[in-house]
Amino acid sequence: LTLESELALAADRGEFELFYQPQVRLVDASLVGAEALIRWRHPVRGYVSPGEFMPVVNSSALSERIGNWVMENACRQARAWELSGDRVRVAINLSPSQLQSGDLAHSVAGMLEATGLTPSLLELEVTEDILLHDEARVLDMFKRIQQLGVRVLFDDFGTGYASLSYLKKFPLDGLKIDRSFVFGLLADSDDAAIVGSTIGLSKQLGLTVVAEGIENRATADFLVSMGCEEGQGYFFGRPMPAEAFERQFLAAE
Ligand code: G
Ligand code: G
Ligand code: MN
Ligand code: NA
C-alpha cells in the first residue's frame, strides 16, 4: 500500500482529527482564537503529525477532499463554540492546491452558509508558496473571500523570498511572524530587530500581527514591549484535541 492509498483509506475510515492551538492577546493572555491543525489518528502508530503526510496529500488527488474536510470541521467547531457563547476565531491552513483547483471563495461561502458561522470568526492562513502561483487569480479569490467577511493572514512571514512585495500586492488582514525569528528573540539582536521592524511595519499597514512559537514568558513580555498584540506558542498551549481545548480555555464562567 502506498502512503497515498493509506491516506485515502484513512479518510474513508474517519481517522483524521483537528487539534486546536490557542492564540491569545499577549497583554493579558486572554484567548482570541485557535489554529486548527490536522492529525492522523493511525490505528497502530497513534497520532501522526501533518509534516509526515500533508506533503503527500497536497501533491495528490486527496488534496481537495482533505482541504474541504478541514474547512468543514473547523467551521462546525467554531460555530459550536459561537453558539455556546465563546467568540473563538478559528484559523485554518490552506495548501497551494486549494487555491489552484476549483473556486475556493465559493466553497468558503457554502461552508459558512451550511454551518451558520459568523464569517469574521473564520481565518485562512496562507503561505508564500500559495501567493507565488497565478497572482491575478489568487488576488481575485482573496478579494471575494474577504468580501464574505473572512480574514486572510500571511503565515510564516519572513521565511520566503518576497514577503514584502506580497504585502503590497495582496489585501491581507494580518501576518504571523514565523517562529524561527521568535525562538531567538531574547538572545539574538538580529532576530529582535527583524521582529521589531515587522511589528512596526504591520501597524503602519494596519495589519494584525501574531507572533508564533512563543515558548516562555520572557519572550511574551518582550513581544508586548515591542507592541505585538497577539501570540501563539507552547507557553500558552500546545495543539490539543477540541475537548481538551474546551476544558482549558472555554470552561464555563
Ligand atoms: O501541527 P504541526 O506543527 O505538526 O504542523 C506541521 C505543518 O503542517 C505546519 O506547517 C502546518 O501549517 C501544516 N498543517 C497542519 N494542519 C494543516 C491543514 O489542515 N492543512 C494544511 N494545508 N496544512 C496543515
Ligand atoms: O507552519 P505553521 O505556522 O502553520 O505551523 C504551526 C505549527 O507550529 C503547529 O502545528 C505547532 O505544532 C508548531 N508550534 C506551535 N507553537 C510552537 C512552539 O511554541 N514551539 C514549537 N517548536 N513549535 C510550535
Ligand atoms: Mn499556520
Ligand atoms: Na503557522
Side-chain angles (χ1 to χ4, degrees):
L1 221 55
T2 62
L3 181 53
E4 186 179 338
S5 47
E6 264 195 273
L7 288 163
L9 274 176
D12 293 338
R13 293 174 179 152
E15 290 174 0
F16 292 108
E17 257 180 54
L18 289 181
F19 274 24
Y20 293 88
Q21 183 177 34
Q23 298 181 335
V24 304
R25 198 184 329 277
L26 287 173
V27 280
D28 59 3
S30 60
L31 187 80
V32 291
E35 180 174 355
L37 295 152
I38 195 168
R39 295 292 183 267
W40 175 12
R41 194 211 284 261
H42 190 280
V44 178
R45 293 200 278 151
Y47 283 115
V48 181
S49 85
E52 288 184 49
F53 64 87
M54 283 310 279
V56 173
V57 166
N58 289 335
S59 59
S60 77
L62 282 171
S63 174
E64 195 171 347
R65 179 172 177 199
I66 294 188
N68 284 334
W69 180 88
V70 168
M71 199 191 307
E72 179 173 353
N73 275 267
C75 288
R76 283 195 196 295
Q77 183 61 77
R79 177 60 175 161
W81 287 334
E82 184 183 14
L83 284 174
S84 62
D86 299 298
R87 288 186 59 84
V88 185
R89 284 185 336 225
V90 172
I92 61 174
N93 292 281
L94 291 186
S95 65
S97 50
Q98 284 179 278
L99 271 152
Q100 283 157 52
S101 67
D103 185 342
L104 183 69
H106 188 257
S107 316
V108 171
M111 215 62 87
L112 291 171
E113 197 171 288
T115 59
L117 178 67
T118 295
S120 60
L121 293 177
L122 179 63
E123 283 182 351
L124 307 182
E125 295 191 4
V126 300
T127 46
E128 185 173 312
D129 52 351
I130 285 177
L131 307 178
L132 276 173
H133 301 276
D134 197 347
E135 280 180 11
R137 179 182 159 81
V138 172
L139 185 59
D140 171 65
M141 203 72 89
F142 280 9
K143 284 186 180 151
R144 288 168 54 215
I145 287 170
Q146 289 168 317
Q147 274 162 13
L148 298 168
V150 171
R151 289 155 46 87
V152 179
L153 274 80
F154 193 160
D155 200 6
D156 305 338
F157 184 80
T159 57
Y161 294 103
S163 300
L164 293 178
S165 76
Y166 291 116
L167 288 188
K168 184 174 158 70
K169 280 180 200 151
F170 294 100
L172 296 154
D173 297 290
L175 56 85
K176 298 184 75 176
I177 303 175
D178 190 69
R179 59 179 185 265
S180 61
F181 303 106
V182 175
F183 285 148
L185 205 51
L186 300 170
D188 185 325
S189 59
D190 290 346
D191 283 342
I194 291 167
V195 169
S197 311
T198 304
I199 294 164
L201 178 68
S202 305
K203 295 203 156 181
Q204 295 218 331
L205 295 173
L207 302 173
T208 301
V209 58
V210 183
E212 298 187 297
I214 302 172
E215 294 191 351
N216 52 61
R217 177 180 304 280
T219 301
D221 290 345
F222 190 41
L223 284 160
V224 169
S225 76
M226 290 193 292
C228 186
E229 278 151 25
E230 295 183 11
Q232 176 180 347
Y234 294 167
F235 175 62
F236 301 106
R238 290 184 175 250
M240 63 188 89
E243 311 76 59
F245 184 87
E246 288 168 6
R247 277 197 304 277
Q248 271 193 49
F249 297 97
L250 305 177
E253 296 78 55

